[in-house]
């Protein structure tokens, strides 16, 4: 049985017991009035009054039992309700996070000077007019900067003049000492 059906059945049961309790209470009040009016039949009335009081107590206990069950059904109902609501909230949070990622990406693209679809710009504008304006301003500055002439990344280098390799070689310093110089005339060949 479904919770909603059970709640309907048991609420109706509680109402029926309430009506029956009211009816028995009315009978008991009438009986007590008769007892006061006719003290001679007190013994007969007391037996009937005891039966009505027991019936009233039994009706009350049964109604409380049904009411307790209705409370348990309400707890189950709330549990199912909360679970379904939690799923909806989780889904909504996921959608919101995905939309936020898209909004931030649109803002980033605009700030880089890119052209984005009008629908995307509108979404960004609907989310935050300030963020949209900031993105557009930064994007406009970036576009202006792209039109500027850039300087060399290596700075202003002077054109270097290189030495003539032959001249450099001839004018280079000798490293180390060479052999001792002697006059060729002083060199004699010994025969031998």
């Amino acid at each position: 049985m479904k919770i909603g059906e059970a709640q309907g059945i048991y609420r109706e049961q509680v109402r029926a017991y309430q009506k029956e309790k009211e009816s028995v209470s009315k009978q008991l009040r009438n009986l007590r009035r008769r007892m006061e009016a006719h003290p001679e039949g007190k013994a007969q009335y007391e037996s009937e009054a005891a039966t009505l009081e027991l019936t009233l107590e039994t009706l009350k206990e049964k109604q409380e039992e049904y009411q307790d069950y209705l409370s348990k059904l309400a707890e189950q109902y709330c549990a199912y309700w909360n679970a379904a609501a939690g799923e909806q909230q989780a889904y909504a949070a996921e959608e919101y996070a995905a939309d936020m990622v898209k909004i931030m990406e649109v803002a980033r693209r605009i700030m880089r000077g890119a052209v984005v679809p009008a629908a995307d710009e509108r979404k960004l504008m609907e989310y935050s007019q300030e963020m949209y304006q900031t993105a557009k301003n930064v994007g406009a500055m970036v576009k202006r900067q792209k039109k500027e002439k850039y300087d060399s990344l290596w700075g202003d280098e002077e054109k270097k003049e290189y030495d003539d390799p032959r001249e450099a070689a001839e004018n280079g310093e000798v490293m180390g000492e060479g052999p001792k110089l002697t006059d060729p005339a002083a060199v004699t060949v010994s025969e031998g």
Side-chain angles (χ1 to χ4, degrees):
M1 179 181 309
K2 297 188 188 281
I3 292 175
E5 294 171 356
Q7 284 178 320
I9 291 168
Y10 284 96
R11 280 188 193 118
E12 188 56 42
Q13 200 63 12
V14 167
R15 277 188 226 112
Y17 272 77
Q18 185 62 35
K19 283 182 182 179
E20 188 63 28
K21 277 175 39 183
E22 289 170 6
S23 173
V24 171
S25 289
K26 187 176 180 181
Q27 290 174 20
L28 188 58
R29 281 192 304 270
N30 289 338
L31 184 61
R32 288 187 178 147
R33 273 189 230 131
R34 278 186 278 167
M35 283 171 64
E36 289 175 8
H38 304 289
E40 67 278 353
K42 189 177 180 183
Q44 177 191 355
Y45 292 135
E46 282 182 350
S47 171
E48 201 174 321
T51 303
L52 287 174
E53 285 175 357
L54 286 173
T55 302
L56 191 59
E57 187 60 34
T58 303
L59 288 170
K60 181 182 173 190
E61 287 173 4
K62 202 65 172 162
Q63 183 184 16
E64 286 175 359
E65 179 183 340
Y66 293 145
Q67 193 60 50
D68 289 345
Y69 186 66
L70 271 173
S71 295
K72 290 178 183 175
L73 287 174
E75 288 174 10
Q76 292 174 23
Y77 182 89
C78 285
Y80 280 106
W81 177 284
N82 289 337
E87 285 179 24
Q88 289 175 354
Q89 289 173 347
Y91 179 73
E94 278 181 30
E95 279 187 342
Y96 179 76
D99 284 349
M100 287 306 302
V101 167
K102 291 175 186 176
I103 284 171
M104 297 306 288
E105 179 62 20
V106 168
R108 185 191 68 79
R109 288 177 179 178
I110 291 172
M111 283 190 249
R112 295 184 90 195
V115 177
V116 297
D120 290 1
E121 280 193 37
R122 194 174 331 104
K123 290 272 190 184
L124 176 61
M125 194 182 325
E126 288 170 0
Y127 174 73
S128 171
Q129 186 68 31
E130 290 176 11
M131 185 184 288
Y132 173 75
Q133 285 301 322
T134 302
K136 290 298 269 186
N137 291 340
V138 170
M141 288 186 337
V142 167
K143 283 182 182 178
R144 278 194 308 264
Q145 288 175 353
K146 286 184 178 179
K147 291 179 183 178
E148 291 178 5
K149 183 179 176 185
Y150 289 101
D151 292 333
S152 171
L153 296 176
W154 286 268
D156 293 334
E157 290 184 1
E158 293 180 19
K159 191 168 186 175
K160 190 172 182 178
E161 291 186 25
Y162 294 100
D163 294 335
D164 177 25
R166 186 164 127 207
E167 187 179 320
E170 289 177 3
N171 293 325
E173 291 291 321
V174 175
M175 292 187 227
E177 286 187 34
K180 185 177 178 187
L181 293 176
T182 33
D183 183 19
V187 175
T188 53
V189 176
S190 57
E191 290 182 22

